[in-house]
Amino acid sequence: MLDIPSPVRVDVETLLAAQNHMGVCDAFAQYAPVGKPDAMTAPHFPKVAGIDSTVPPPAHTVAPASPTPAPPPSSSAAPGALIQDRLAGWVSDLTTLHELTERLARTATLDDALHEMLRAGAALVGARRGLLALEPADGLGPDTTVGLGLARSDLGHLETVPRAATSYGQILDRAEQSDKPEVHADLLSEDGLDPRHREVAVRLGYAASFALPLATTAAGRLGAVVWLYDEPAEPVERQRHLVGLYTRYATEHLARMLELERTRAKSRTIAEELLPSRLPRIADVQLAARHRTGPRGGGDWYDALPLPEGALGLAVGSITGSGASAVAAMGRLRASLRAYAVMEGEDPVAVLSDLELLLRLTEPARSATALFAYCEPALRKMVLAGAGHSPPLVIGERRTEFIETSLSAPLGMLACWEAPSVEFSPEPGETVLLYTDGLLHRTGDPMDRAFARLHAAAVGVPRTIRDDPGAIADHILHTVLPDGLDAADSNEDVVLLAARFE
């Protein structure tokens, strides 16, 4: 046993003997870099617990000439101290990788994951800037390019460089999949460098690059990532080893996020296709609609359909659940309401009664809210009925108020649904706004405060836009849901249907 004057005692013989058995040293050896830590051109990486969430400045911008090898340890040096330093370096590297992968795993969207991977990789290789080109080999997309420390105009300049002349382009165009990096330690001194690439590199101020492919066994090629150095440089062996380990994990995570993003996009597309592609043109009334679908796809819907004798049917509704099954159920419910409206639209109570019976027989595990209005624009007359739905809002010069409808349970909640309808006559120039509860729920406020916020937004509609139902709907949407809440990912869909009567 060596007596090492250190907070940690190391039993050298026990440590060396343990290397022949499965244990902690095997884990260290698995992640140990090939070169010695002392051979790095950059200072030793701090533990990630001390790394700021933003990308730290690069450890170096110029790689010195061949690093001076460390002098051999003197005979007086304690063997235990050397082993202790090596173990400390390995533990620091493992801690760094663990923290960076934890931060990546906490990303909720594909875009967040792409930016987090760029930041973490830049910290590992000692670079300040970079870009990631996502281009799945299956051609299903999405294809995108994100940058780190590069403005949108900088990315535009890079796109003018011939693809085959860029390091990421060379990776993406490889005939065979390979994990070999593309290293350009002194880009501007290379013979045969594309003139446009040289011009852009000088303009943007980078002189070296290090690129890695992004690929998995299951998903194949996903894209390529490249980090840019301000001056001639390249990662040393230890940095390459660490960024290689991180990139392999990050690529698997990107593949999962990519599949999730594609599923969400399909759900949104299906939901949008099940809604009206355009609103009808009806005399004496102007129509506008706004729809925001949550990431999993929800069951909120709207409809506006011409009826016999110049009448118009307006409807909004929401079915319980989310995802593909809720979207499909929403499509069936909307199609059924259209059929009932054509047959007996002048009686909204009969329309909703038929819809309730159909829902109870075909979708017994679901419930739905709905509001249907039979409009005669020439007479400025509306007859409407609601089943557990929020009351419409009328917006005009002389009044801004909710149209009181009879209280009723949602469809599918009672053995037999029926509630009286109400008749309403809008004044010339007034707009009737139909909406779903998602508009209120996304505020995060209790319902009474959410209704008050909606009413205040309607009162505050500027006079200059009161003759445009689309502008009114946009104003209310952005006022009730400020700071991007109208576009943020949420489990709540939002539907607004505005009808302005002449």
Side-chain angles (χ1 to χ4, degrees), residues 31-34 40 44-46 89-98 100-101 120-121 123-125 210 212 227 235-249:
Y31 293 96
V34 177
M40 294 182 62
H44 181 73
F45 285 109
W90 290 345
V91 170
S92 177
D93 292 344
L94 289 173
T95 303
T96 298
L97 289 173
H98 173 74
L100 291 178
T101 53
L124 290 174
V125 301
F210 178 76
L212 286 173
W227 292 281
V236 296
E237 203 164 10
R238 182 186 186 189
Q239 291 172 310
R240 294 192 190 191
H241 183 77
L242 290 175
V243 77
L245 291 172
Y246 175 79
T247 301
R248 284 196 290 272
Y249 171 84

mmCIF file of all heavy atoms in Angstrom, residues 31-34 40 44-46 89-98 100-101 120-121 123-125 210 212 227 235-249:
data_model
loop_
_atom_site.group_PDB
_atom_site.id
_atom_site.type_symbol
_atom_site.label_atom_id
_atom_site.label_comp_id
_atom_site.label_asym_id
_atom_site.label_seq_id
_atom_site.Cartn_x
_atom_site.Cartn_y
_atom_site.Cartn_z
ATOM 1 N N TYR A 31 -14.857 4.273 -22.008
ATOM 2 C CA TYR A 31 -14.977 5.659 -22.419
ATOM 3 C C TYR A 31 -13.631 6.392 -22.420
ATOM 4 O O TYR A 31 -13.574 7.585 -22.659
ATOM 5 C CB TYR A 31 -15.934 6.409 -21.473
ATOM 6 C CG TYR A 31 -17.339 5.932 -21.568
ATOM 7 C CD1 TYR A 31 -17.818 4.975 -20.667
ATOM 8 C CD2 TYR A 31 -18.188 6.398 -22.563
ATOM 9 C CE1 TYR A 31 -19.112 4.513 -20.768
ATOM 10 C CE2 TYR A 31 -19.478 5.927 -22.659
ATOM 11 C CZ TYR A 31 -19.926 4.996 -21.753
ATOM 12 O OH TYR A 31 -21.216 4.545 -21.848
ATOM 13 N N ALA A 32 -12.550 5.686 -22.158
ATOM 14 C CA ALA A 32 -11.251 6.338 -22.083
ATOM 15 C C ALA A 32 -10.783 6.761 -23.455
ATOM 16 O O ALA A 32 -10.879 5.993 -24.404
ATOM 17 C CB ALA A 32 -10.234 5.378 -21.468
ATOM 18 N N PRO A 33 -10.272 7.963 -23.620
ATOM 19 C CA PRO A 33 -9.733 8.370 -24.912
ATOM 20 C C PRO A 33 -8.450 7.637 -25.232
ATOM 21 O O PRO A 33 -7.771 7.132 -24.349
ATOM 22 C CB PRO A 33 -9.505 9.876 -24.725
ATOM 23 C CG PRO A 33 -9.338 10.054 -23.260
ATOM 24 C CD PRO A 33 -10.198 9.010 -22.604
ATOM 25 N N VAL A 34 -8.119 7.581 -26.517
ATOM 26 C CA VAL A 34 -6.931 6.857 -26.929
ATOM 27 C C VAL A 34 -5.694 7.582 -26.475
ATOM 28 O O VAL A 34 -4.734 6.991 -26.011
ATOM 29 C CB VAL A 34 -6.929 6.689 -28.462
ATOM 30 C CG1 VAL A 34 -5.668 5.994 -28.921
ATOM 31 C CG2 VAL A 34 -8.160 5.914 -28.882
ATOM 32 N N MET A 40 -3.693 17.231 -24.829
ATOM 33 C CA MET A 40 -4.694 18.108 -25.410
ATOM 34 C C MET A 40 -4.119 19.490 -25.680
ATOM 35 O O MET A 40 -3.267 19.981 -24.938
ATOM 36 C CB MET A 40 -5.898 18.244 -24.478
ATOM 37 C CG MET A 40 -6.673 16.967 -24.299
ATOM 38 S SD MET A 40 -8.086 17.238 -23.255
ATOM 39 C CE MET A 40 -8.974 18.406 -24.244
ATOM 40 N N HIS A 44 -7.981 21.460 -19.807
ATOM 41 C CA HIS A 44 -8.820 20.323 -19.437
ATOM 42 C C HIS A 44 -10.266 20.760 -19.279
ATOM 43 O O HIS A 44 -10.543 21.824 -18.738
ATOM 44 C CB HIS A 44 -8.299 19.724 -18.133
ATOM 45 C CG HIS A 44 -9.081 18.525 -17.692
ATOM 46 N ND1 HIS A 44 -8.980 17.311 -18.322
ATOM 47 C CD2 HIS A 44 -9.985 18.376 -16.711
ATOM 48 C CE1 HIS A 44 -9.784 16.443 -17.715
ATOM 49 N NE2 HIS A 44 -10.402 17.079 -16.741
ATOM 50 N N PHE A 45 -11.201 19.974 -19.791
ATOM 51 C CA PHE A 45 -12.627 20.307 -19.705
ATOM 52 C C PHE A 45 -13.054 20.387 -18.251
ATOM 53 O O PHE A 45 -12.760 19.491 -17.470
ATOM 54 C CB PHE A 45 -13.476 19.232 -20.390
ATOM 55 C CG PHE A 45 -13.427 19.309 -21.875
ATOM 56 C CD1 PHE A 45 -12.753 18.355 -22.607
ATOM 57 C CD2 PHE A 45 -14.049 20.352 -22.544
ATOM 58 C CE1 PHE A 45 -12.713 18.425 -23.971
ATOM 59 C CE2 PHE A 45 -14.000 20.423 -23.906
ATOM 60 C CZ PHE A 45 -13.322 19.462 -24.622
ATOM 61 N N PRO A 46 -13.786 21.413 -17.888
ATOM 62 C CA PRO A 46 -14.348 21.419 -16.539
ATOM 63 C C PRO A 46 -15.497 20.440 -16.461
ATOM 64 O O PRO A 46 -16.079 20.051 -17.458
ATOM 65 C CB PRO A 46 -14.862 22.871 -16.395
ATOM 66 C CG PRO A 46 -15.179 23.271 -17.789
ATOM 67 C CD PRO A 46 -14.154 22.562 -18.667
ATOM 68 N N GLY A 89 -9.392 12.336 -14.623
ATOM 69 C CA GLY A 89 -9.728 12.758 -15.976
ATOM 70 C C GLY A 89 -10.868 11.966 -16.563
ATOM 71 O O GLY A 89 -11.769 12.518 -17.198
ATOM 72 N N TRP A 90 -10.837 10.644 -16.347
ATOM 73 C CA TRP A 90 -11.924 9.805 -16.859
ATOM 74 C C TRP A 90 -13.253 10.142 -16.198
ATOM 75 O O TRP A 90 -14.298 10.214 -16.852
ATOM 76 C CB TRP A 90 -11.584 8.336 -16.657
ATOM 77 C CG TRP A 90 -10.480 7.847 -17.537
ATOM 78 C CD1 TRP A 90 -9.975 8.453 -18.647
ATOM 79 C CD2 TRP A 90 -9.727 6.651 -17.365
ATOM 80 N NE1 TRP A 90 -8.956 7.714 -19.183
ATOM 81 C CE2 TRP A 90 -8.779 6.593 -18.425
ATOM 82 C CE3 TRP A 90 -9.733 5.620 -16.433
ATOM 83 C CZ2 TRP A 90 -7.871 5.549 -18.564
ATOM 84 C CZ3 TRP A 90 -8.836 4.580 -16.575
ATOM 85 C CH2 TRP A 90 -7.913 4.541 -17.624
ATOM 86 N N VAL A 91 -13.234 10.335 -14.886
ATOM 87 C CA VAL A 91 -14.472 10.673 -14.177
ATOM 88 C C VAL A 91 -15.009 12.011 -14.668
ATOM 89 O O VAL A 91 -16.215 12.189 -14.853
ATOM 90 C CB VAL A 91 -14.226 10.695 -12.658
ATOM 91 C CG1 VAL A 91 -15.436 11.286 -11.931
ATOM 92 C CG2 VAL A 91 -13.944 9.295 -12.136
ATOM 93 N N SER A 92 -14.104 12.984 -14.911
ATOM 94 C CA SER A 92 -14.543 14.279 -15.426
ATOM 95 C C SER A 92 -15.195 14.129 -16.794
ATOM 96 O O SER A 92 -16.235 14.740 -17.072
ATOM 97 C CB SER A 92 -13.351 15.230 -15.500
ATOM 98 O OG SER A 92 -13.742 16.466 -16.052
ATOM 99 N N ASP A 93 -14.597 13.298 -17.670
ATOM 100 C CA ASP A 93 -15.169 13.090 -18.995
ATOM 101 C C ASP A 93 -16.533 12.428 -18.906
ATOM 102 O O ASP A 93 -17.476 12.803 -19.606
ATOM 103 C CB ASP A 93 -14.237 12.229 -19.847
ATOM 104 C CG ASP A 93 -12.942 12.955 -20.200
ATOM 105 O OD1 ASP A 93 -12.921 14.188 -20.053
ATOM 106 O OD2 ASP A 93 -11.983 12.288 -20.600
ATOM 107 N N LEU A 94 -16.654 11.413 -18.042
ATOM 108 C CA LEU A 94 -17.941 10.738 -17.886
ATOM 109 C C LEU A 94 -18.996 11.699 -17.331
ATOM 110 O O LEU A 94 -20.152 11.677 -17.749
ATOM 111 C CB LEU A 94 -17.797 9.532 -16.958
ATOM 112 C CG LEU A 94 -17.026 8.337 -17.529
ATOM 113 C CD1 LEU A 94 -16.818 7.282 -16.454
ATOM 114 C CD2 LEU A 94 -17.766 7.733 -18.713
ATOM 115 N N THR A 95 -18.595 12.534 -16.398
ATOM 116 C CA THR A 95 -19.529 13.517 -15.842
ATOM 117 C C THR A 95 -19.980 14.497 -16.922
ATOM 118 O O THR A 95 -21.165 14.849 -17.019
ATOM 119 C CB THR A 95 -18.867 14.291 -14.691
ATOM 120 O OG1 THR A 95 -18.425 13.365 -13.701
ATOM 121 C CG2 THR A 95 -19.844 15.267 -14.068
ATOM 122 N N THR A 96 -19.038 14.940 -17.753
ATOM 123 C CA THR A 96 -19.373 15.844 -18.846
ATOM 124 C C THR A 96 -20.376 15.214 -19.802
ATOM 125 O O THR A 96 -21.398 15.810 -20.144
ATOM 126 C CB THR A 96 -18.098 16.236 -19.611
ATOM 127 O OG1 THR A 96 -17.210 16.927 -18.727
ATOM 128 C CG2 THR A 96 -18.435 17.130 -20.798
ATOM 129 N N LEU A 97 -20.094 13.989 -20.236
ATOM 130 C CA LEU A 97 -20.999 13.318 -21.173
ATOM 131 C C LEU A 97 -22.365 13.088 -20.552
ATOM 132 O O LEU A 97 -23.398 13.246 -21.205
ATOM 133 C CB LEU A 97 -20.389 11.979 -21.609
ATOM 134 C CG LEU A 97 -19.181 12.076 -22.543
ATOM 135 C CD1 LEU A 97 -18.576 10.688 -22.757
ATOM 136 C CD2 LEU A 97 -19.570 12.678 -23.878
ATOM 137 N N HIS A 98 -22.382 12.712 -19.280
ATOM 138 C CA HIS A 98 -23.668 12.461 -18.613
ATOM 139 C C HIS A 98 -24.511 13.730 -18.572
ATOM 140 O O HIS A 98 -25.711 13.703 -18.896
ATOM 141 C CB HIS A 98 -23.427 11.946 -17.200
ATOM 142 C CG HIS A 98 -24.667 11.822 -16.379
ATOM 143 N ND1 HIS A 98 -25.586 10.814 -16.577
ATOM 144 C CD2 HIS A 98 -25.174 12.591 -15.382
ATOM 145 C CE1 HIS A 98 -26.598 10.958 -15.736
ATOM 146 N NE2 HIS A 98 -26.366 12.034 -15.005
ATOM 147 N N LEU A 100 -24.294 16.456 -20.465
ATOM 148 C CA LEU A 100 -24.706 16.907 -21.795
ATOM 149 C C LEU A 100 -25.836 16.045 -22.361
ATOM 150 O O LEU A 100 -26.760 16.552 -22.986
ATOM 151 C CB LEU A 100 -23.509 16.891 -22.746
ATOM 152 C CG LEU A 100 -22.416 17.939 -22.474
ATOM 153 C CD1 LEU A 100 -21.274 17.784 -23.463
ATOM 154 C CD2 LEU A 100 -22.975 19.344 -22.529
ATOM 155 N N THR A 101 -25.769 14.745 -22.168
ATOM 156 C CA THR A 101 -26.843 13.884 -22.657
ATOM 157 C C THR A 101 -28.122 14.098 -21.863
ATOM 158 O O THR A 101 -29.224 13.990 -22.416
ATOM 159 C CB THR A 101 -26.427 12.404 -22.590
ATOM 160 O OG1 THR A 101 -25.969 12.081 -21.270
ATOM 161 C CG2 THR A 101 -25.307 12.110 -23.576
ATOM 162 N N ALA A 120 -23.656 21.674 -27.476
ATOM 163 C CA ALA A 120 -22.857 20.713 -26.724
ATOM 164 C C ALA A 120 -21.627 20.286 -27.517
ATOM 165 O O ALA A 120 -20.519 20.201 -26.980
ATOM 166 C CB ALA A 120 -23.709 19.496 -26.358
ATOM 167 N N GLY A 121 -21.793 20.012 -28.811
ATOM 168 C CA GLY A 121 -20.660 19.610 -29.622
ATOM 169 C C GLY A 121 -19.612 20.703 -29.728
ATOM 170 O O GLY A 121 -18.406 20.423 -29.706
ATOM 171 N N ALA A 123 -18.914 22.908 -27.460
ATOM 172 C CA ALA A 123 -18.175 22.922 -26.205
ATOM 173 C C ALA A 123 -17.158 21.789 -26.147
ATOM 174 O O ALA A 123 -16.060 21.953 -25.612
ATOM 175 C CB ALA A 123 -19.153 22.814 -25.034
ATOM 176 N N LEU A 124 -17.493 20.642 -26.714
ATOM 177 C CA LEU A 124 -16.594 19.482 -26.655
ATOM 178 C C LEU A 124 -15.397 19.634 -27.589
ATOM 179 O O LEU A 124 -14.298 19.177 -27.266
ATOM 180 C CB LEU A 124 -17.362 18.209 -26.999
ATOM 181 C CG LEU A 124 -18.383 17.727 -25.957
ATOM 182 C CD1 LEU A 124 -19.171 16.536 -26.484
ATOM 183 C CD2 LEU A 124 -17.696 17.374 -24.650
ATOM 184 N N VAL A 125 -15.576 20.228 -28.758
ATOM 185 C CA VAL A 125 -14.468 20.328 -29.717
ATOM 186 C C VAL A 125 -13.772 21.680 -29.652
ATOM 187 O O VAL A 125 -12.793 21.891 -30.362
ATOM 188 C CB VAL A 125 -14.960 20.070 -31.158
ATOM 189 C CG1 VAL A 125 -15.591 18.711 -31.279
ATOM 190 C CG2 VAL A 125 -15.926 21.166 -31.625
ATOM 191 N N PHE A 210 -14.629 20.960 -38.687
ATOM 192 C CA PHE A 210 -14.645 19.555 -38.272
ATOM 193 C C PHE A 210 -16.084 19.085 -38.380
ATOM 194 O O PHE A 210 -16.974 19.630 -37.728
ATOM 195 C CB PHE A 210 -14.125 19.402 -36.840
ATOM 196 C CG PHE A 210 -14.164 17.992 -36.325
ATOM 197 C CD1 PHE A 210 -13.234 17.054 -36.741
ATOM 198 C CD2 PHE A 210 -15.139 17.596 -35.415
ATOM 199 C CE1 PHE A 210 -13.272 15.756 -36.271
ATOM 200 C CE2 PHE A 210 -15.185 16.298 -34.941
ATOM 201 C CZ PHE A 210 -14.243 15.373 -35.369
ATOM 202 N N LEU A 212 -19.051 15.797 -38.725
ATOM 203 C CA LEU A 212 -19.370 14.406 -38.417
ATOM 204 C C LEU A 212 -20.688 14.028 -39.073
ATOM 205 O O LEU A 212 -21.616 14.862 -39.152
ATOM 206 C CB LEU A 212 -19.490 14.195 -36.901
ATOM 207 C CG LEU A 212 -18.199 14.184 -36.084
ATOM 208 C CD1 LEU A 212 -18.531 14.138 -34.600
ATOM 209 C CD2 LEU A 212 -17.325 13.001 -36.458
ATOM 210 N N TRP A 227 -18.606 21.929 -37.190
ATOM 211 C CA TRP A 227 -18.223 23.028 -36.306
ATOM 212 C C TRP A 227 -17.093 23.799 -36.964
ATOM 213 O O TRP A 227 -16.181 23.216 -37.577
ATOM 214 C CB TRP A 227 -17.798 22.490 -34.942
ATOM 215 C CG TRP A 227 -18.949 21.906 -34.189
ATOM 216 C CD1 TRP A 227 -19.912 22.578 -33.500
ATOM 217 C CD2 TRP A 227 -19.275 20.515 -34.066
ATOM 218 N NE1 TRP A 227 -20.814 21.697 -32.959
ATOM 219 C CE2 TRP A 227 -20.447 20.423 -33.279
ATOM 220 C CE3 TRP A 227 -18.691 19.343 -34.529
ATOM 221 C CZ2 TRP A 227 -21.037 19.218 -32.963
ATOM 222 C CZ3 TRP A 227 -19.273 18.135 -34.213
ATOM 223 C CH2 TRP A 227 -20.444 18.073 -33.432
ATOM 224 N N PRO A 235 -9.712 19.360 -33.570
ATOM 225 C CA PRO A 235 -9.805 18.728 -32.253
ATOM 226 C C PRO A 235 -8.700 17.692 -32.082
ATOM 227 O O PRO A 235 -8.332 17.001 -33.033
ATOM 228 C CB PRO A 235 -11.189 18.063 -32.261
ATOM 229 C CG PRO A 235 -11.847 18.485 -33.507
ATOM 230 C CD PRO A 235 -10.852 19.026 -34.432
ATOM 231 N N VAL A 236 -8.193 17.599 -30.876
ATOM 232 C CA VAL A 236 -7.206 16.566 -30.582
ATOM 233 C C VAL A 236 -7.930 15.243 -30.366
ATOM 234 O O VAL A 236 -9.162 15.162 -30.367
ATOM 235 C CB VAL A 236 -6.374 16.942 -29.351
ATOM 236 C CG1 VAL A 236 -5.560 18.191 -29.615
ATOM 237 C CG2 VAL A 236 -7.266 17.132 -28.135
ATOM 238 N N GLU A 237 -7.148 14.193 -30.167
ATOM 239 C CA GLU A 237 -7.714 12.849 -30.134
ATOM 240 C C GLU A 237 -8.748 12.684 -29.033
ATOM 241 O O GLU A 237 -9.779 12.038 -29.208
ATOM 242 C CB GLU A 237 -6.578 11.840 -29.965
ATOM 243 C CG GLU A 237 -6.919 10.446 -30.452
ATOM 244 C CD GLU A 237 -5.693 9.590 -30.622
ATOM 245 O OE1 GLU A 237 -4.608 10.001 -30.190
ATOM 246 O OE2 GLU A 237 -5.826 8.504 -31.191
ATOM 247 N N ARG A 238 -8.463 13.264 -27.886
ATOM 248 C CA ARG A 238 -9.390 13.109 -26.772
ATOM 249 C C ARG A 238 -10.721 13.807 -27.071
ATOM 250 O O ARG A 238 -11.797 13.282 -26.783
ATOM 251 C CB ARG A 238 -8.765 13.696 -25.514
ATOM 252 C CG ARG A 238 -9.640 13.545 -24.272
ATOM 253 C CD ARG A 238 -9.032 14.274 -23.109
ATOM 254 N NE ARG A 238 -9.767 14.040 -21.885
ATOM 255 C CZ ARG A 238 -9.527 14.703 -20.759
ATOM 256 N NH1 ARG A 238 -8.576 15.612 -20.743
ATOM 257 N NH2 ARG A 238 -10.229 14.460 -19.684
ATOM 258 N N GLN A 239 -10.657 14.999 -27.667
ATOM 259 C CA GLN A 239 -11.878 15.718 -28.020
ATOM 260 C C GLN A 239 -12.683 14.950 -29.059
ATOM 261 O O GLN A 239 -13.913 14.889 -28.989
ATOM 262 C CB GLN A 239 -11.519 17.106 -28.544
ATOM 263 C CG GLN A 239 -10.958 18.051 -27.495
ATOM 264 C CD GLN A 239 -10.453 19.334 -28.099
ATOM 265 O OE1 GLN A 239 -9.680 19.301 -29.067
ATOM 266 N NE2 GLN A 239 -10.855 20.472 -27.547
ATOM 267 N N ARG A 240 -11.997 14.372 -30.040
ATOM 268 C CA ARG A 240 -12.705 13.591 -31.054
ATOM 269 C C ARG A 240 -13.419 12.401 -30.430
ATOM 270 O O ARG A 240 -14.537 12.055 -30.835
ATOM 271 C CB ARG A 240 -11.716 13.102 -32.117
ATOM 272 C CG ARG A 240 -11.102 14.194 -32.951
ATOM 273 C CD ARG A 240 -10.384 13.589 -34.147
ATOM 274 N NE ARG A 240 -9.588 14.582 -34.855
ATOM 275 C CZ ARG A 240 -9.046 14.376 -36.031
ATOM 276 N NH1 ARG A 240 -9.196 13.208 -36.642
ATOM 277 N NH2 ARG A 240 -8.324 15.320 -36.622
ATOM 278 N N HIS A 241 -12.745 11.786 -29.466
ATOM 279 C CA HIS A 241 -13.356 10.624 -28.824
ATOM 280 C C HIS A 241 -14.625 11.028 -28.074
ATOM 281 O O HIS A 241 -15.672 10.382 -28.183
ATOM 282 C CB HIS A 241 -12.346 9.985 -27.873
ATOM 283 C CG HIS A 241 -12.847 8.740 -27.200
ATOM 284 N ND1 HIS A 241 -12.922 7.524 -27.847
ATOM 285 C CD2 HIS A 241 -13.314 8.522 -25.948
ATOM 286 C CE1 HIS A 241 -13.410 6.610 -27.023
ATOM 287 N NE2 HIS A 241 -13.657 7.194 -25.862
ATOM 288 N N LEU A 242 -14.538 12.121 -27.310
ATOM 289 C CA LEU A 242 -15.704 12.556 -26.532
ATOM 290 C C LEU A 242 -16.855 12.993 -27.428
ATOM 291 O O LEU A 242 -18.012 12.629 -27.203
ATOM 292 C CB LEU A 242 -15.299 13.699 -25.598
ATOM 293 C CG LEU A 242 -14.392 13.336 -24.425
ATOM 294 C CD1 LEU A 242 -13.989 14.583 -23.658
ATOM 295 C CD2 LEU A 242 -15.080 12.358 -23.491
ATOM 296 N N VAL A 243 -16.561 13.791 -28.460
ATOM 297 C CA VAL A 243 -17.643 14.255 -29.329
ATOM 298 C C VAL A 243 -18.216 13.099 -30.141
ATOM 299 O O VAL A 243 -19.404 13.095 -30.483
ATOM 300 C CB VAL A 243 -17.153 15.397 -30.243
ATOM 301 C CG1 VAL A 243 -16.312 14.890 -31.396
ATOM 302 C CG2 VAL A 243 -18.329 16.202 -30.771
ATOM 303 N N GLY A 244 -17.397 12.097 -30.436
ATOM 304 C CA GLY A 244 -17.920 10.917 -31.134
ATOM 305 C C GLY A 244 -18.913 10.154 -30.285
ATOM 306 O O GLY A 244 -19.974 9.733 -30.773
ATOM 307 N N LEU A 245 -18.596 9.984 -28.991
ATOM 308 C CA LEU A 245 -19.523 9.308 -28.091
ATOM 309 C C LEU A 245 -20.823 10.096 -27.956
ATOM 310 O O LEU A 245 -21.921 9.536 -27.999
ATOM 311 C CB LEU A 245 -18.871 9.124 -26.710
ATOM 312 C CG LEU A 245 -17.718 8.131 -26.617
ATOM 313 C CD1 LEU A 245 -17.060 8.216 -25.250
ATOM 314 C CD2 LEU A 245 -18.214 6.708 -26.870
ATOM 315 N N TYR A 246 -20.673 11.409 -27.785
ATOM 316 C CA TYR A 246 -21.869 12.241 -27.630
ATOM 317 C C TYR A 246 -22.723 12.226 -28.892
ATOM 318 O O TYR A 246 -23.957 12.125 -28.822
ATOM 319 C CB TYR A 246 -21.462 13.672 -27.289
ATOM 320 C CG TYR A 246 -22.634 14.619 -27.222
ATOM 321 C CD1 TYR A 246 -23.450 14.656 -26.095
ATOM 322 C CD2 TYR A 246 -22.936 15.462 -28.283
ATOM 323 C CE1 TYR A 246 -24.539 15.509 -26.033
ATOM 324 C CE2 TYR A 246 -24.017 16.319 -28.225
ATOM 325 C CZ TYR A 246 -24.813 16.345 -27.103
ATOM 326 O OH TYR A 246 -25.891 17.183 -27.051
ATOM 327 N N THR A 247 -22.080 12.322 -30.046
ATOM 328 C CA THR A 247 -22.821 12.380 -31.303
ATOM 329 C C THR A 247 -23.590 11.091 -31.552
ATOM 330 O O THR A 247 -24.723 11.121 -32.057
ATOM 331 C CB THR A 247 -21.862 12.657 -32.478
ATOM 332 O OG1 THR A 247 -21.186 13.897 -32.241
ATOM 333 C CG2 THR A 247 -22.617 12.749 -33.782
ATOM 334 N N ARG A 248 -23.024 9.945 -31.199
ATOM 335 C CA ARG A 248 -23.743 8.681 -31.397
ATOM 336 C C ARG A 248 -25.018 8.639 -30.567
ATOM 337 O O ARG A 248 -26.072 8.206 -31.046
ATOM 338 C CB ARG A 248 -22.830 7.499 -31.060
ATOM 339 C CG ARG A 248 -21.802 7.194 -32.134
ATOM 340 C CD ARG A 248 -21.200 5.821 -31.955
ATOM 341 N NE ARG A 248 -20.325 5.762 -30.785
ATOM 342 C CZ ARG A 248 -19.033 6.074 -30.816
ATOM 343 N NH1 ARG A 248 -18.479 6.498 -31.947
ATOM 344 N NH2 ARG A 248 -18.301 5.980 -29.742
ATOM 345 N N TYR A 249 -24.922 9.097 -29.316
ATOM 346 C CA TYR A 249 -26.142 9.138 -28.489
ATOM 347 C C TYR A 249 -27.124 10.169 -29.032
ATOM 348 O O TYR A 249 -28.327 9.908 -29.138
ATOM 349 C CB TYR A 249 -25.782 9.475 -27.049
ATOM 350 C CG TYR A 249 -26.993 9.742 -26.191
ATOM 351 C CD1 TYR A 249 -27.688 8.696 -25.597
ATOM 352 C CD2 TYR A 249 -27.469 11.038 -25.997
ATOM 353 C CE1 TYR A 249 -28.819 8.934 -24.831
ATOM 354 C CE2 TYR A 249 -28.594 11.293 -25.239
ATOM 355 C CZ TYR A 249 -29.269 10.231 -24.653
ATOM 356 O OH TYR A 249 -30.388 10.466 -23.914
#
